[in-house]
Amino acid sequence: MRLLVRTSQVNLMPKILLVEDNEMNRDMLSRRLIKRGFEIVMAVDGRQGLEMARQESPDLILMDMSLPEMDGWETTRQLRSDERIRSIPVIALTAHAMAGDREKAMQAGCNDYDTKPIEFPRLLEKIDILINGKAQA
Ligand code: MN
């Protein structure tokens, strides 16, 4: 019985879907997020990302934009056209701070945007705002 109680408490941790094809980035970021108490599920390309979003109903998605199979832009557009998963917040992650990328991310349906290399405290703040609705940090 105790175990059941604990299990339900564990499920209260916010769940983040990390869609990232680069294994090193995936490992590093997932470990840091797990340390902060998040439950992490992962996908390695856009198609799998969409599947995982439907299966796992995460509280938030961290979406690398440069992905095999289907890139992050298209994955986010498809996510936004599926009513079961369209309301999940998405933070776009891109490797280069290209002019116009932020706008492009917002147009694709992302809620926020960040650039690599990841500055973890800054990313955590963005995650926190989208999950907990904090106005400012
Ligand atoms: Mn990538």
Side-chain angles (χ1 to χ4, degrees), residues 51-74:
E51 272 173 39
M52 292 294 279
R54 292 181 181 121
Q55 278 173 29
E56 299 285 339
S57 300
D59 297 292
L60 181 133
I61 300 173
L62 291 174
M63 182 84 72
D64 177 30
M65 289 288 112
S66 172
L67 291 169
E69 299 302 323
M70 184 162 63
D71 68 22
W73 313 107
E74 181 57 25

Side-chain angles (χ1 to χ4, degrees), residues 102-116:
R102 186 187 178 85
E103 222 166 70
K104 200 176 158 193
M106 297 309 173
Q107 276 169 10
C110 298
N111 301 78
D112 208 338
Y113 168 90
D114 212 337
T115 53
K116 299 178 190 179

Side-chain angles (χ1 to χ4, degrees), residues 19 43-54 67-71 75 78:
V19 188
V44 300
D45 62 49
R47 273 182 216 295
Q48 196 184 18
L50 265 187
E51 272 173 39
M52 292 294 279
R54 292 181 181 121
L67 291 169
E69 299 302 323
M70 184 162 63
D71 68 22
T75 305
Q78 292 201 22

